[in-house]
Amino acid sequence: MPSLKKYLLLPSIIRLSSRVPRNRNTAWEGYWGRIQKTGSGGDVLWDAGNDHEFASYLPALQRTLNPDLPVVDVGCGHGSFTRLLAGHFPRAFGVDVAPGAVARARDQNTDLPSVEFRTLDCTVAGAGELLATELGDCNVFVRGVFHVLDPGARIALAANLLPLVGRQGRVFLVETNFRGNALDYISRLGASPRKIPRPLKLAISGLPKPGHFGPLERLAAFDDDGWTVLEDGAVTIDAADMTTKGQPEQIPGYYAVLAPRG
Ligand SMILES: C[S@@+](CC[C@H](N)C(=O)[O-])C[C@H]1O[C@@H](n2cnc3c(N)ncnc32)[C@H](O)[C@@H]1O
């Protein structure tokens, strides 16, 4: 879209985003309650409905994570990545703050006995210890959660992951890292002054404005005293198709694999 035309989107964006509940957890529960369809051609912005993106992480997952430990998918949403992870670890455990997301994840998991889902606010003090007491040392997978949290909650989440990984586990995180402004972002995802695609409209009208998460944001959340970075770099996140039917949108992302120090 020509650079000035995107500003015509502003009135719709302001109107839609004025509906977002102030409490983030309430917003997430409301959002999941409005989702009618997941997977390809569905409503969930970050769901391309295939395993292409997961397959691109597999080599890094396999060289950095201990395959004998359980994996916890933090902020699992409707559990599509939890189910993919289950093929590579003895147990896969999806946790999410929104009961509606967890209910949906359970409904969609009809055939994998090693997969479980639970409602949990992973930023609350003690959440990591609680899971560690039950599961022991775990690998942690996080996709698209840090960038939707405020800076204080990012620190709280990272602090909870330390007891959860224990000595043997690792954190594998993948986050959106689009560095332009919000109008550039939504224009790139197919919004025009005439039409905003449904997955984007549901997100703008239901969710807190997302941030971005790259090396600097990772360093602010995972301090050097507690964590060491084993790998990091750029990745591509596949999202719902909104500009061309059948072709997932591609969003610039950042991945990092972290190990506890000491
Ligand atoms: C962008 S979605 C990503 C979902 C999933 N990881 C995926 O990639 O399909 C972010 C998810 O984080 C969850 N979430 C947000 N804050 C959370 C918190 N404090 N604790 C646990 N989950 C949270 C939301 O409910 C939502 O399902």
Side-chain angles (χ1 to χ4, degrees):
M1 193 185 316
S3 57
L4 286 177
K5 211 172 161 199
K6 68 186 176 204
Y7 292 103
L8 297 175
L9 275 164
L10 264 176
S12 312
I13 303 305
I14 291 168
R15 184 175 43 79
L16 288 171
S17 57
S18 69
R19 300 176 192 163
V20 176
R22 277 175 194 275
N23 179 294
R24 285 175 186 252
N25 295 357
T26 307
W28 277 108
E29 179 60 1
Y31 171 83
W32 282 111
R34 284 187 287 277
I35 295 300
Q36 288 171 8
K37 181 178 185 295
T38 60
S40 176
D43 296 337
V44 179
L45 183 64
W46 48 89
D47 181 11
N50 64 48
D51 66 357
H52 172 265
E53 180 190 329
F54 181 76
S56 75
Y57 304 148
L58 253 190
L61 283 166
Q62 285 171 335
R63 70 177 170 259
T64 55
L65 269 50
N66 181 337
D68 298 326
L69 297 182
V71 63
V72 177
D73 183 7
V74 166
C76 62
H78 63 297
S80 51
F81 278 76
T82 324
R83 290 189 291 278
L84 291 167
L85 287 160
H88 303 273
F89 299 93
R91 278 176 88 185
F93 211 82
V95 289
D96 199 284
V97 73
V102 169
R104 199 175 279 274
R106 285 187 182 136
D107 277 358
Q108 293 186 2
N109 185 50
T110 49
D111 57 346
L112 295 172
S114 66
V115 176
E116 280 177 61
F117 295 100
R118 184 172 301 174
T119 303
L120 185 69
D121 182 344
C122 298
T123 62
V124 164
E129 275 103 347
L130 185 80
L131 286 174
T133 306
E134 193 179 326
L135 302 171
D137 289 8
C138 289
N139 292 307
V140 172
F141 180 83
V142 193
R143 176 179 181 261
V145 182
F146 279 95
H147 82 286
V148 301
L149 298 176
D150 64 38
R154 291 175 181 180
I155 291 171
L157 175 54
N160 273 333
L161 301 187
L162 206 49
L164 185 54
V165 296
R167 294 169 76 88
Q168 305 175 75
R170 304 285 181 260
V171 174
F172 192 105
L173 65 85
V174 188
E175 293 289 334
T176 302
N177 193 25
F178 181 80
R179 307 307 286 198
N181 66 34
L183 282 180
D184 292 333
Y185 186 55
I186 58 179
S187 305
R188 179 189 168 125
L189 293 178
S192 74
R194 277 190 305 113
K195 187 170 188 288
I196 299 179
R198 180 175 160 81
L200 202 48
K201 198 181 258 184
L202 284 166
I204 295 168
S205 61
L207 296 176
K209 189 169 167 251
H212 53 248
F213 195 89
L216 285 179
E217 291 77 19
R218 188 257 308 144
L219 186 60
F222 291 85
D223 64 85
D224 272 347
D225 293 340
W227 299 94
T228 181
V229 178
L230 301 180
E231 295 186 7
D232 72 343
V235 287
T236 301
I237 295 186
D238 289 343
D241 55 339
M242 289 174 285
T243 53
T244 310
K245 205 169 164 35
Q247 277 185 27
E249 305 305 325
Q250 302 214 304
I251 300 174
Y254 168 74
Y255 93 103
V257 189
L258 296 120
R261 263 190 210 282

